[in-house]
Amino acid sequence: MSTGKQLTALLLLTTALTIPGAAFAQDTSAGNGAEGVPAEEDTATDALAAQQVEGIDDTPEEEQFEQPEISVPGGAIVVTGRRRQDVTRASSQVVSVLDSASIARTGEGDIAGALTRVTGLSTVGNGLVFVRGLGDRYSLALLNGLPLPSPQPLSRVVPLDIFPTSIVASSLVQKTYSANFPGEFGGGVINLTTRAVPEESFIKVSTGLSVDSESTGGPGYTYHGSTYDWFGFDNGRRTIRPQLQNYLDSGLPISDPNVDQRSILLELGDPNLILLQQDNDLPVNWSAGITAGTAFDVFSDGRFGIIATASLSNKWRNRFITRQTAVNADLDLDTDFRQFTTDQRILANAMLGFGLEVGEHRFRIVNLFIRDSLKRASLAEGTDFQNDDTDQVQQTAWYERQLFDTQFTGELEFGDLSVDLRAGYAQTQREAPFEWEFTYTRSNNPNDPLGNLFLNTLDPQRGGAVVAFSDLTEDLYYGGLDVSYQLANWLGVTVGGAYTDTSRLSSRREFDIRASSGYPDVFGAFRPDNLLGDSLIELGYDPVAQQAAGIGPFTYNIFDTTGSDPAFSASLEIVAAYAQARVEPVTGVSLDLGVRYEDATQTVVPLGLDGLPSGSANSTLLENDYFLPGATVTWEIADSVQMRLNASKTIARPQFRELIFQTYFDPETNRQFNGNPSLVDSELTNYEARLEYYWGSGSKASVAGFYKDIENPIEIFSSFSDNNQVSGFANAPSATLYGVEAEFQWNKDLYTLGEWFDSKRLVAIANYTYTQSELKVGPNDIARVFPFADQPATNFFRDGVPLTGQSDHLVNLQLGIEDLDKVSQATFLLSYASERVTSRGTAALPDIVEDPGLRLDFVFRQGFELAGAELELKLEARNITGRDNFEFQTNGTNRIEINSYDVGRSFSASISAEF
C-alpha cells in the first residue's frame, strides 16, 4: 500500500480516537456468518482470506475486508484500505475482537464461554470473566459502550454466561487503558455490541438437546415448587404470605408481643417448598430460540433495521461435593461432609433492537431482558469430629436474577467533527425467597435411646430449621457525550464526559425456628413438611391438647437473626470528564495520550426494621477524586511489524456486596459471604510492551510483557464457623503482578492436498499467558476488618503469596478445518488454567486453591439446504477429558477438599433454520 493511502487510513482512524480501534467497514452489516448476511458474501470473504494467506491479492482494497460491528464510547469510524484491515492491528490500544464468525467457531452458547478463547482471559463457573488471572473486580463489562449493573450480589459486572451469542455481533476486549473508558479498569474492558441493522430480512429458529454424563438419565434431587418453574417464573407459590408480609411491613422486632408468631409459622410450612424428593431419571437439557430481523430504506440515503430475538433453555446439573474443614494448620479434620446437589437452571432472554443509518450517522436503541433462574435441591451428610455427631442437612432454594436494560446510542459524523451520544437505564433484581435449611443430627451415643436416629428437635444442639428471604434491586442511570475533531493531518482530539448514578436496595431476613425445652424428641424424626406441619404447630400453641396427650409443655419461637441489620441502601455517583489526543509526529509512529478525571461518592447505609437509617456503625462513605492518565505509543517498525508501549493509572472500587455487612449464600461456590464496610479503593499503575507481526488475512503473532503495581488490593479470606465456611473481604497493603502473553493465529489454504481439500483451510489459533503476582505484607501493616479493631495485616495475608484468582499459566488452542464454500467446520478447542487461589486461609490455615486444569472440547458445524431453507447442524462434545472440579487446602503433606466434585462430559446436538 502506498504511503499516501496509509496516511489516509490513519487520519480516518483519528476521527474516533476514543476506541481507538473500534472500526466499521463501509458495509456496516454484522461479521461473517451472521444472520442476515447473504451466503455469497460470507463465502466471498472467506475465499478472499484464503487467497491472501497464499499471497494472492487481486481484489480491490475497499472490498477486501468486512469489519466487525463495534460500538464503544467515542463513536464509530469507516475503515478503508488494507493497512487497517484488522481492528486488532488498527487500534492504538491492545485489543482482541471476536466477531460473529469467531464466536460461531467456538460453538459456545454464551459469550462467557466464547471469551475463554481470548488471550489472557479465563472464566469461573458462574460466568465471571477474569483478565490475566485477575478477579472480576479488575474487569469492566459494557454493552454497546454503556455500563451494566449486575444481578449477582458477589459480582461487580453481569455474569457474562447469561448473554447468548445469538444477540452479540462482536465482543471487544481492550487490555490497555484509554481515557474514554471508565477509570475502573484494572485488567481490561469487555465491550459487547448487540446486533443492529441486518443486510436483509431473515428469520432463524433453533433448537437443541444435550446430555451430561453426571446428570442426564440419572438420579437427582428436586422439590415441587410451582407449576411454572420449568419456565423460570414462579406462579405465586413463593410469594410471601400475608401474615409474614404484615410483620415485615410493621417494623416491629419478631419478639414483640404484637407479632403473631403462630400465624407466621402456619404460613411457612408449605410442603411444596420444603419436601425434598428424589427424581430417578433427570431429563435431557434443552434449548430453543428464534431471531428475526428486517431492514428497509428510509430517507434518501438511510436504512432502518429491526432485530428481535428470544430464547429459553433448561439445564440440569448434579454435583456430588466433598466438603471438609480443618481444625488446625496440620489439616486435621474438623468436619467431613458429602453433599449431593441438583441444580435446574432456566435462562430466558429477549431483545428488541432498532437501528438507523443515515449517511454517516448511526443510531441504535436496544431493549434487553434476561432472566436467569436457579432451582436448587441439596442433601448433605457428614461427621462433626468435635462431638462425633453425624448431621444430615437438607436445603431447598430458588434464585431469580433478572436484568432489564434500555439504551440509546447516537454516532454522528460531520466531516472532521464526530459527536457520540449515549444514554441508558438498567435495572437488575435478585430474589431468593424461601431459602430453607433443615438439619437432622444423629448423636451416635450408645447411651442415647434415640442415638441411632437422625432427629431434628428444633434445637441448635440437635437439628434446626432456618428460612431466609433475600431481595435486591439495583437501578442505574447513565449519560455520556464525546466530541472528536481532526485539527490537522497529524493531530486529532477528543473530549468527553459521563455521568452514572447507581443505587441498590438489598434486604435479607433470616428466621431460625426453634422449639422450647419441652419438645418431645420423637417429633424430631418427622420429615420437614410434617415437622412444620399445621398439626404440630397448632399443638405447640395448645397447652390443653399437650396435657391430654401427656407431652410438653412446649411451644415454638422464631428468632430473627438479621434483625439488627435487615437491609442496606447503597449508592455510587460518578461524574467524569476526559481529554484525549491522537498524534502522529512522524510517519509510522502514533501517540495516544489522555487523562480522565473522576469524582465519585460511594455510600452504604444500614437500614433498620422500619426501613429508615439505623445509625449502625457498619456504614461506608467513600469520597474520592482521581486524575487517571493513559498513554500508548505505537511504532510501525515495518509494513507487517509494529510495537506498542503503554502506561496508565487506574482504580478498582469495592463492590456494594463487599461493603455490606450482610450474610449471603452463593450456590455456585457453595459458601457464605459477608461484607466489610471498612474497604477502600484500590489504585493501580500499569505498564505494557507488545510486539506484533501480521501476515496474510487474519494471520498474526504477538508477544507482550506487562506489569502492574496495586495499592490496597481487595482479597477474599475464609474462616470456618459451625461447620460452615464464611468468606469475607479485606484490603491487603499492596501487590505486584507481571507476566508475558503470546498469541498466534494462522489460516492455511489446503487446496494443494487434493480435490476434497479444494475449498478447505486449516485454522490454528493458540495463545499463552504467564502471570506472576505477589502480595506485599510488612510486619507494621494494618488490616481493617469490620467488626474487629485494626489488627496486623499478617493475621489475614502472607507476604509473597499470589493474588486470589490468578493462574500462573493460561493456554488456549483451537485447531480446525473450515470449508470456504459453505458452512462446514470441525474444531478442537483445548484450554488449560493452572492452580489459582480462591480465598486466603486464616488462623494459620493454608489458602484455598482451585485447580481448573486441562479441558478439551470438539465442535462440528455443517450447513445444508432443505426445502428452500438454510439449515445448520451443530454437534458438540464438551469436557472430553472428563476434568473434574477441585478446590482444596494443602500444606504440602495433607490435603482436604473444600468444594470438589465430578464434572460430567456433555454431548449436544442442535439445529437451526434460517429463512
Side-chain angles (χ1 to χ4, degrees), residues 485-526:
Y485 191 74
Q486 194 66 34
L487 294 173
N489 289 341
W490 55 274
L491 175 63
V493 297
T494 299
V495 295
Y499 174 79
T500 60
D501 184 8
T502 308
S503 60
R504 171 180 288 192
L505 180 62
S506 175
S507 65
R508 185 176 187 273
R509 305 300 298 272
E510 181 181 271
F511 302 105
D512 187 349
I513 302 169
R514 300 183 186 180
S516 64
S517 58
Y519 189 77
D521 287 349
V522 69
F523 286 1
F526 286 130

Side-chain angles (χ1 to χ4, degrees), residues 273-286:
L273 303 182
I274 62 178
L275 182 58
L276 198 66
Q277 299 171 316
Q278 181 171 318
D279 188 334
N280 291 320
D281 187 10
L282 291 182
V284 299
N285 305 319
W286 58 267

Side-chain angles (χ1 to χ4, degrees), residues 42 65 176 190 194 220 314 332 437 584 608 720 761 790 878:
D42 194 27
F65 292 93
T176 52
I190 300 168
T194 55
N314 199 308
D332 295 324
E437 179 175 290
E584 188 181 19
F720 299 88
R761 73 174 174 188
D790 291 354
R878 301 289 182 179

Side-chain angles (χ1 to χ4, degrees), residues 748-826:
K748 172 66 175 177
D749 197 320
L750 302 177
Y751 67 89
T752 59
L753 299 181
E755 182 178 353
W756 187 83
F757 292 96
D758 278 349
S759 59
K760 306 296 191 297
R761 73 174 174 188
L762 174 71
V763 177
I765 303 173
N767 57 65
Y768 168 70
T769 304
Y770 172 75
T771 308
Q772 288 288 296
S773 64
E774 292 184 1
L775 287 183
K776 305 293 185 181
V777 186
N780 298 321
D781 289 325
I782 297 298
R784 294 180 171 87
V785 179
F786 187 88
F788 308 108
D790 291 354
Q791 53 191 297
T794 52
N795 289 357
F796 297 92
F797 310 109
R798 289 186 288 277
D799 184 62
V801 298
L803 287 163
T804 54
Q806 180 253 305
S807 292
D808 289 354
H809 307 279
L810 295 174
V811 179
N812 289 294
L813 174 65
Q814 297 182 41
L815 187 63
I817 293 179
E818 300 180 342
D819 195 306
L820 302 177
D821 293 339
K822 58 186 178 182
V823 176
S824 181
Q825 295 177 337

Side-chain angles (χ1 to χ4, degrees), residues 427-447:
Q427 183 185 81
T428 57
Q429 293 180 319
R430 180 188 184 274
E431 293 186 36
F434 292 98
E435 285 184 90
W436 276 105
E437 179 175 290
F438 289 88
T439 302
Y440 287 74
T441 299
R442 187 177 65 201
S443 69
N444 300 318
N445 185 348
N447 298 321

